[in-house]
Amino acid sequence: MLHVSDYYPTFANMVGVSTVNTGYFPVDGIDFWPYITGENSSKPRQELLIAGCEGGAEGCNGAFLYGDLKLILGAQNPAGWYKIPNKSIDVLQMESNIDNCSNTCVFNLTADPEERNNLAKTQPDLVTMLKSRFNAITNVMVPHDTPAPVCTKEALCDQMNKNKGYFGPWLPPPN
């Protein structure tokens, strides 16, 4: 499981730059070079927070990978499957049978790569364990930035006109 946060420590260590005590927050990534080169064959990362919520799992719309498992919290809209090459099932045929995860979903991504068998319905202890780990991680995550300004159609068009047809930067530069 490689995450974008692993790029910095991997590249820094490749060129001999220390990643110890480099800023206010510790480096959150893993040096993947030993795994890329085959020097180390064990899995370097067993868990990955995809989307966390301040305050934990209750009322959260988030996701967390733990080994082969994926925890999804909060309703996913739209919920569905994309057509898999060489398979006849597609998102339009399956929409009536979709669990949107409003009551939590847990999938084993190795055994169920299409995420169709929600283990949360039959394994409440697994849900409890994953939510507990999710809460532990979200309690130490760096808080989100303040929300972006409300983006109306008019504001978007005005900003694109100011930027000569491009979206961004949204906020004016600081003085």
Side-chain angles (χ1 to χ4, degrees), residues 85-135:
N86 303 318
K87 291 219 176 182
S88 60
I89 299 172
D90 67 50
V91 70
L92 297 176
Q93 294 171 332
M94 297 301 294
E95 283 194 15
S96 63
N97 300 331
I98 292 173
D99 184 341
N100 74 355
C101 300
S102 59
N103 293 317
T104 304
C105 287
V106 175
F107 300 105
N108 182 316
L109 299 177
T110 301
D112 180 24
E114 296 178 17
E115 299 180 14
R116 294 176 187 268
N117 181 27
N118 183 2
L119 302 174
K121 296 174 182 178
T122 57
Q123 298 185 39
D125 291 343
L126 183 61
V127 172
T128 300
M129 183 276 294
L130 289 171
K131 280 186 174 181
S132 175
R133 188 65 193 132
F134 177 90
N135 287 338

Side-chain angles (χ1 to χ4, degrees), residues 24-26 28 47 49 52-56 132-144:
Y24 183 73
F25 296 104
D28 198 22
E47 58 188 21
L49 181 65
C53 300
E54 293 176 33
S132 175
R133 188 65 193 132
F134 177 90
N135 287 338
I137 291 173
T138 57
N139 286 336
V140 297
M141 71 180 195
V142 176
H144 296 292

